[in-house]
């Protein structure tokens, strides 16, 4: 398996634009996590899914952020409209169940100017 | 200000010495704990894990210790090498929810 695949690796966008980050989890994994990493806040959990269903979105900063998982092999994190303070590295991770290691993608570095 | 960031604890060790990185977790319901290593420009990578029914687990050059009484976790790295230089995160999870939460991280610097 190629591991967790995220795209794009880098994204630079202007304030106010919509940004969509994509994630393909490892095949067979039924948990998917979205994290945001910044110097200010470290590695924050934004939302996670189990069997494509959002379980906990309490980490989503505000209504500008939304996440979907239409099927077991794909998830998106959307920011609309984007703001400079959204600049961060966004990671996706997947795991095959509770009490098993989570595998991370390479991340998407988002810069909002 | 914009330049204020997390002041990650930093551990500086000499190559060949043993390293001990500590972590306090918050949720008494957590029953699964993981240590991750993150190198610059990469995603966190799994090092070792431990379940709450254990207090010690050993891997290759690494040992994790769990003290549930004081909610403390530690990672011991034997014979630290320059390639061990990275940021190390502990993470906790509960089998009831599957939610995986990370601590703030510790920077390990290995001096040759």
């Amino acid at each position: 398996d190629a591991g967790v695949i995220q795209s794009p690796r880098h994204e630079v966008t202007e304030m106010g634009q919509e940004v969509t980050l994509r994630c393909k989890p490892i095949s067979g994994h039924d948990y998917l996590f979205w994290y945001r990493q910044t110097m200010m806040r470290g590695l924050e959990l934004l939302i996670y899914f189990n069997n494509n269903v959002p379980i906990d979105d309490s980490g989503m900063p505000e209504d500008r952020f939304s996440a979907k998982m239409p099927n077991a092999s794909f998830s998106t994190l959307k920011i609309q409209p984007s703001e400079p303070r959204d600049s961060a590295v966004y990671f996706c991770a997947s795991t095959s169940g509770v009490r098993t290691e989570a595998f991370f993608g390479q991340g998407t570095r988002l810069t909002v100017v | 200000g914009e330049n204020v960031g997390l002041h990650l604890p930093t551990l500086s060790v000499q190559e060949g010495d043993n390293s001990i990185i500590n972590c306090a977790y918050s949720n008494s319901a957590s029953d699964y704990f993981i240590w991750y290593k993150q190198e610059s420009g990469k995603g966190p990578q799994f090092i070792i894990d431990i379940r709450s029914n254990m207090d010690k687990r050993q891997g290759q050059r690494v040992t994790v210790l769990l003290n549930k009484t004081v909610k403390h976790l530690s990672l011991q790295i034997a014979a630290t090498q320059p390639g061990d230089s990275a940021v190390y995160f502990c993470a906790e999870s509960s089998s009831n929810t599957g939610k995986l939460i990370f601590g703030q991280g510790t920077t390990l610097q290995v001096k040759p």
Side-chain angles (χ1 to χ4, degrees):
Chain A
D1 200 314
V4 176
I5 299 173
Q6 290 187 246
S7 65
R9 289 295 309 277
H10 303 273
E11 175 82 34
V12 181
T13 190
E14 291 185 346
M15 181 174 62
Q17 296 297 306
E18 177 180 295
V19 175
T20 299
L21 311 181
R22 295 172 175 80
C23 175
K24 181 181 187 306
I26 292 173
S27 177
H29 281 190
D30 53 6
Y31 280 86
L32 184 141
F33 303 82
W34 281 102
Y35 292 89
R36 177 173 69 176
Q37 187 171 36
T38 61
M39 286 297 292
M40 287 290 291
R41 297 178 182 274
L43 202 56
E44 300 175 274
L45 176 64
L46 300 177
I47 185 171
Y48 75 102
F49 297 82
N50 178 216
N51 292 322
N52 313 338
V53 176
I55 303 301
D56 187 335
D57 65 355
S58 59
M60 296 286 260
E62 48 198 274
D63 291 347
R64 296 185 298 108
F65 285 68
S66 62
K68 294 182 180 180
M69 192 163 186
N71 57 62
S73 58
F74 184 65
S75 177
T76 60
L77 177 68
K78 186 176 294 186
I79 308 172
Q80 165 64 15
S82 58
E83 297 182 3
R85 60 192 168 120
D86 302 330
S87 298
V89 180
Y90 291 81
F91 287 103
C92 175
S94 70
T95 181
S96 60
V98 297
R99 302 207 292 178
T100 60
E101 66 176 285
F103 292 84
F104 279 76
Q106 291 282 62
T108 295
R109 180 174 293 278
L110 173 65
T111 303
V112 183
V113 298
Chain B
E2 288 186 358
N3 293 325
V4 174
L6 276 179
H7 177 61
L8 286 183
T10 299
L11 176 64
S12 185
V13 300
Q14 206 68 38
E15 181 179 357
D17 287 352
N18 297 334
S19 302
I20 300 176
I21 300 172
N22 296 303
C23 174
Y25 65 93
S26 56
N27 187 358
S28 300
S30 293
D31 58 2
Y32 178 62
F33 306 88
I34 318 172
W35 280 99
Y36 282 89
K37 174 186 180 183
Q38 187 178 25
E39 296 173 310
S40 181
K42 297 184 179 180
Q45 292 180 291
F46 171 86
I47 301 173
I48 191 167
D49 59 3
I50 188 167
R51 298 185 177 190
S52 58
N53 60 347
M54 303 173 69
D55 53 21
K56 181 179 180 179
R57 190 160 188 234
Q58 288 184 295
Q60 188 175 16
R61 281 202 308 120
V62 293
T63 300
V64 56
L65 298 177
L66 174 63
N67 184 331
K68 294 182 288 295
T69 302
V70 295
K71 298 206 281 287
H72 183 268
L73 197 64
S74 68
L75 176 70
Q76 300 177 0
I77 305 174
T80 313
Q81 302 168 358
D84 295 327
S85 295
V87 179
Y88 289 80
F89 293 94
C90 65
E92 59 180 300
S93 180
S94 165
S95 53
N96 289 334
T97 65
K99 189 172 183 177
L100 183 63
I101 300 295
F102 281 75
Q104 287 193 346
T106 296
T107 299
L108 176 64
Q109 295 176 343
V110 182
K111 296 175 288 187

